[in-house]
């Protein structure tokens, strides 16, 4: 049995909004901590590392949720170019939210730093010490952070475009789970489609 | 929940577009503000390192942006257990911890004459058996000239060399010192300090305060110093710009060189946030163990080359204090490390290092 669902599953929505807050915080922490010479540098750095690992774990869970619960299809009348941009940017976001913590971890390993998540909790190194590898990974970490922030800006802009200009229910399908195109069988539209029905 | 507006006639879409653009601009602007791009006068790690670079005579690719001239050393620290009552760090227990260190002189010029400054520095990385590390960067003066990163930056600006004379403008420096009375203790020390002929006869102070954390979780404010076993040496030889490394080689050839790690315990009320103020001399001092250095290697190929001696890299049992210089050092050292490793890695946009300088200058 298969029906076309029009909302994101509840776990997908919870993960989306929780990670939106965490990733956005992470980007601001990152850009702030490398610039500031105040005491904020030390405490932002202390947050950055455990938060990065938390985002990595959540991103893996989210990828599984995503693969098990296909997202609702985009509106049929959306131009092909916008559809392509939507798909590419979503997979770019997934790639970056998994790659960024791994690159950070690998970069600290290559730089010879102990990867401390707290005063006493240390993660093992995932690369041998090599300053040249550090330089490339640290450069990638910075460049990809800007790319992630720009992708976030595009994502937010596109979401608002769907919500305010097109008003096609795409934003609502992630915002509150109400169906954008209520089926007569579910008149209140407040259905969270059970993923087992869609398999 | 059908939208009442037909999609083909959206009224007031201009306002909606403005809302979208506004959200993107506000988010992007906040990011740029936090990154320091909108506030060119705010001190950032990058601006601090740029200033150190200027004072060091420009970019010397591959070299540290401060304390650029130095040499790698290696050996071990022999803990005696006396500091274990105050810190759970295993480095203080009875036993040996391997150490990779670096002697250097301050300044961004890797070719500076050894006698150009009366200060020597010693940086150490202790590799603890549990994989944690203790990194420290110490100097041969008892106090720091300034207490804040902003004042340190201002001192660098005041000390910029006048292109006409090749020396700092005395009037500018005098104006800085007049505006910064906290420099008095450092200046009193500098008046009598002479460049030493050896790294080995110097004692090196951690200057910033830290906390030791004991097994009960109790914090103890401390400062530490590596005190040389070697007797005070002769003054530096005249007419020689590179005598420190040959002296070190000569002394190590005769045997290991030793320092004692003296840890001073603060009384309540002793300042932990002001590196310009020494603590009273009568404070309790522990001898926590012996640093034994056994070998040296050039800094361009030795094991210290790829180490950023960030003093905030600490094992469990040691923690940073509220000294504002610590975070600034961490941020600036990270930027210096990134610049020089990028140069070594030939990352586009950087200048690759050249290897034509005399060995003695490394």
């Amino acid at each position: 049995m298969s029906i076309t669902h029009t909302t994101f599953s509840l776990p997908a929505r919870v993960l989306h909004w929780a990670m939106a807050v965490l990733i956005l915080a992470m980007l601001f922490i990152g850009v702030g901590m490398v610039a500031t010479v105040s005491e904020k540098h030390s405490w932002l750095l202390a947050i950055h590392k455990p938060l990065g690992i938390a985002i990595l774990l959540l991103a893996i869970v989210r990828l599984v949720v995503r693969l098990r619960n296909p997202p609702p299809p985009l509106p049929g009348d959306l131009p092909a170019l916008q559809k392509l941009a939507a798909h590419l940017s979503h997979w770019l976001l997934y790639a970056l939210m998994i790659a960024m913590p791994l690159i950070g971890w690998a970069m600290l390993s290559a730089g010879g730093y102990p990867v401390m998540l707290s005063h006493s909790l240390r993660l093992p190194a995932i690369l041998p010490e090599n300053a040249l590898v550090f330089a490339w990974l640290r450069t990638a970490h910075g460049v990809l952070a800007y790319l992630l922030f720009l992708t976030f800006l595009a994502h937010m802009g596109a979401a608002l475009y769907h919500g305010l200009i097109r008003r096609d229910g795409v934003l609502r399908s992630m915002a509150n789970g109400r169906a954008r195109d209520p089926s007569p069988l579910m008149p209140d539209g407040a259905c969270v489609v059970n993923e087992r029905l869609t398999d | 929940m059908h939208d009442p507006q037909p999609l083909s006639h959206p009224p007031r879409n201009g306002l909606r577009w403005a809302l979208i653009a506004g959200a993107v601009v506000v988010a992007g602007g906040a990011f740029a503000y936090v990154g320091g791009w909108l506030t060119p006068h705010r001190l950032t790690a990058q601006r601090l390192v740029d200033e150190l670079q200027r004072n060091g005579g420009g970019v010397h690719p591959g070299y540290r942006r401060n304390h650029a001239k130095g040499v790698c050393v290696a050996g071990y620290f022999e803990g005696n257990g006396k500091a274990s009552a105050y810190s759970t760090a295993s480095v203080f227990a009875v036993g040996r911890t391997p150490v990779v260190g670096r002697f250097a002189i301050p300044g961004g010029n890797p070719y500076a004459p050894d006698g150009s400054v009366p200060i020597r520095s010693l940086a150490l990385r202790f590799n603890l058996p549990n994989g944690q590390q203790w990194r420290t960067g110490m100097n041969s003066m008892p106090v720091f000239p300034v207490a804040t990163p902003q004042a340190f930056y201002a001192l660098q600006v005041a000390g910029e060399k006048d292109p006409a004379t090749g020396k700092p403008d005395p009037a500018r420096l005098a104006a800085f010192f007049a505006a910064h009375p906290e420099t008095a203790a450092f200046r009193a020390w500098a008046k009598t300090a002479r460049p030493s002929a050896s790294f080995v006869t110097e004692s090196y102070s951690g200057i910033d305060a830290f906390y030791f954390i004991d097994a009960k979780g109790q914090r103890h404010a401390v400062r530490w110093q590596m005190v040389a076993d070697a007797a005070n040496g002769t003054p530096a030889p005249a007419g020689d710009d590179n005598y420190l490394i040959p002296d070190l080689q000569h002394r190590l050839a005769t045997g290991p060189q030793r320092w004692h790690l003296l840890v001073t315990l603060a009384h309540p009320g002793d300042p932990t946030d002001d590196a310009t103020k020494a603590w009273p001399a009568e404070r309790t001092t522990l001898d926590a163990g012996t640093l034994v250095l056994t070998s040296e290697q050039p800094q361009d190929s030795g094991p210290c080359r790829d180490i950023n001696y960030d003093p905030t890299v600490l094992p469990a049992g040691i923690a940073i204090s509220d000294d504002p210089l610590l975070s600034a050092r961490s941020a600036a050292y990270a930027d210096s490390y990134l610049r020089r490793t990028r140069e070594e890695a030939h990352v586009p946009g950087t200048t690759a290092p050249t290897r034509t300088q005399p060995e003695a200058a490394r």
Side-chain angles (χ1 to χ4, degrees), chain A residues 28 32 34-36 38-39 41-42 112-114 119-120 122 131 135-136 138-139 146 149 156 161 164 166-167 172, chain B residues 1 3 5 7 10 16 23 30-31 34 37 44-46 130-133 135 306 308 327 330-331 338 341-342:
Chain A
F28 277 88
V34 297
T36 184
S38 75
E39 285 98 325
H41 169 81
S42 290
Y113 295 97
H119 286 303
S120 53
R122 184 182 65 88
W136 283 106
R138 172 62 185 79
T139 302
Y146 294 133
F149 186 72
M156 180 182 73
Y161 166 70
L164 295 177
R166 282 183 55 91
R167 280 166 270 172
R172 219 183 305 143
Chain B
M1 293 296 290
D3 220 307
Q5 314 279 348
L7 289 181
R16 287 160 184 264
F31 192 74
V34 172
W37 296 295
T44 63
Q46 293 71 30
N130 61 4
Q132 298 181 13
Q133 296 178 4
R135 301 185 187 191
D306 296 338
N308 163 12
S327 276
S330 177
L338 178 58
T341 55
R342 269 184 184 158

Side-chain angles (χ1 to χ4, degrees), chain A residues 93-170:
Chain A
L93 286 168
Y94 271 92
L96 289 173
M97 68 178 94
I98 290 170
M100 284 294 286
L102 287 174
I103 292 172
W105 186 357
M107 154 195 127
L108 290 180
S109 304
Y113 295 97
V115 187
M116 304 292 284
L117 296 191
S118 72
H119 286 303
S120 53
L121 179 62
R122 184 182 65 88
L123 289 183
I126 52 173
L127 281 185
E129 285 186 32
N130 183 322
L132 306 186
V133 173
F134 165 83
W136 283 106
L137 289 175
R138 172 62 185 79
T139 302
H141 199 65
V143 169
L144 293 178
Y146 294 133
L147 178 63
L148 179 51
F149 186 72
L150 290 176
T151 314
F152 153 75
L153 287 183
H155 180 77
M156 180 182 73
L160 291 174
Y161 166 70
H162 281 285
L164 295 177
I165 307 293
R166 282 183 55 91
R167 280 166 270 172
D168 55 8
V170 167

Side-chain angles (χ1 to χ4, degrees), chain B residues 157-210:
Chain B
V157 172
E160 273 176 25
K161 291 186 183 76
D162 183 338
T165 63
K167 289 192 168 151
D169 177 355
R172 253 181 117 179
L173 272 176
F176 173 84
F177 289 131
H180 288 270
E182 76 274 19
T183 56
F186 173 81
R187 281 154 60 209
W189 171 84
K191 228 172 239 167
T192 57
R194 294 289 168 268
S196 74
S198 176
F199 285 127
V200 173
T201 54
E202 292 286 287
S203 294
Y204 299 90
S205 168
I207 298 177
D208 300 308
F210 291 81

Side-chain angles (χ1 to χ4, degrees), chain B:
Chain B
M1 293 296 290
H2 265 299
D3 220 307
Q5 314 279 348
L7 289 181
S8 44
H9 308 101
R12 294 194 307 280
N13 257 7
L15 191 65
R16 287 160 184 264
W17 277 113
L19 240 154
I20 296 172
V24 171
V25 167
V26 166
F31 192 74
Y33 174 78
V34 172
W37 296 295
L38 304 183
T39 46
H41 296 294
R42 193 172 90 204
L43 183 59
T44 63
Q46 293 71 30
R47 285 168 201 144
L48 185 53
V49 175
D50 285 345
E51 184 59 30
L52 289 168
Q53 236 166 234
R54 255 194 300 282
N55 270 1
V59 176
H60 301 284
Y63 287 94
R64 285 163 216 263
R65 270 31 181 187
N66 198 4
H67 296 246
K69 188 182 187 185
V71 59
C72 296
V73 286
Y76 57 89
F77 177 76
E78 183 112 50
N80 58 21
K82 281 185 199 157
S84 294
Y86 300 93
S87 169
T88 55
S90 65
V91 63
F92 299 122
V94 177
R96 286 184 180 184
T97 303
V99 163
V100 175
R102 184 173 179 272
F103 285 113
I105 61 170
N109 178 5
Y111 315 111
D114 289 345
S116 58
V117 275
I119 299 167
R120 280 62 176 107
S121 65
L122 172 60
L124 298 172
R125 182 180 82 174
F126 302 73
N127 278 30
L128 278 57
N130 61 4
Q132 298 181 13
Q133 296 178 4
W134 176 21
R135 301 185 187 191
T136 177
M138 300 171 287
N139 284 283
S140 63
M141 66 238 196
V143 290
F144 207 64
V146 290
T148 65
Q150 284 72 23
F152 181 73
Y153 179 80
L155 174 59
Q156 299 308 310
V157 172
E160 273 176 25
K161 291 186 183 76
D162 183 338
T165 63
K167 289 192 168 151
D169 177 355
R172 253 181 117 179
L173 272 176
F176 173 84
F177 289 131
H180 288 270
E182 76 274 19
T183 56
F186 173 81
R187 281 154 60 209
W189 171 84
K191 228 172 239 167
T192 57
R194 294 289 168 268
S196 74
S198 176
F199 285 127
V200 173
T201 54
E202 292 286 287
S203 294
Y204 299 90
S205 168
I207 298 177
D208 300 308
F210 291 81
Y211 288 113
F212 276 6
I213 299 162
D214 66 24
K216 288 181 187 144
Q218 202 82 39
R219 295 192 317 179
H220 308 272
V222 298
R223 280 173 171 168
W224 56 70
Q225 193 185 17
M226 285 287 181
V227 177
D229 266 15
N232 259 346
T234 47
D240 184 356
D241 287 345
N242 303 298
Y243 50 83
L244 286 169
I245 293 173
D247 170 85
L248 179 67
Q249 289 166 334
H250 175 73
R251 286 174 189 258
L252 284 170
T254 67
Q257 303 296 318
R258 291 183 162 78
W259 286 258
H260 280 264
L261 174 60
L262 301 189
V263 176
T264 303
L265 299 166
H267 276 196
D270 287 346
T272 53
D273 62 349
D274 189 344
T276 66
K277 291 196 176 77
W279 290 344
E282 63 270 19
R283 292 289 175 263
T284 308
T285 296
L286 303 168
D287 181 344
T290 311
L291 172 70
V292 183
L293 296 180
T294 54
S295 64
E296 59 80 34
Q297 271 181 273
Q299 66 164 334
D300 66 342
S301 57
C304 72
R305 182 192 63 192
D306 296 338
I307 300 175
N308 163 12
Y309 287 98
D310 175 343
T312 68
V313 174
L314 299 166
I318 310 179
I320 57 170
S321 69
D322 54 353
D323 187 327
L325 293 176
L326 285 170
S327 276
R329 288 175 70 182
S330 177
Y333 288 23
D335 188 59
S336 164
Y337 185 62
L338 178 58
R339 291 185 194 204
R340 66 192 182 89
T341 55
R342 269 184 184 158
E343 288 155 0
E344 294 284 356
H346 299 210
V347 171
T350 64
T351 315
T354 53
R355 290 292 182 219
T356 53
Q357 56 273 23
E359 185 67 26
R362 291 182 185 179

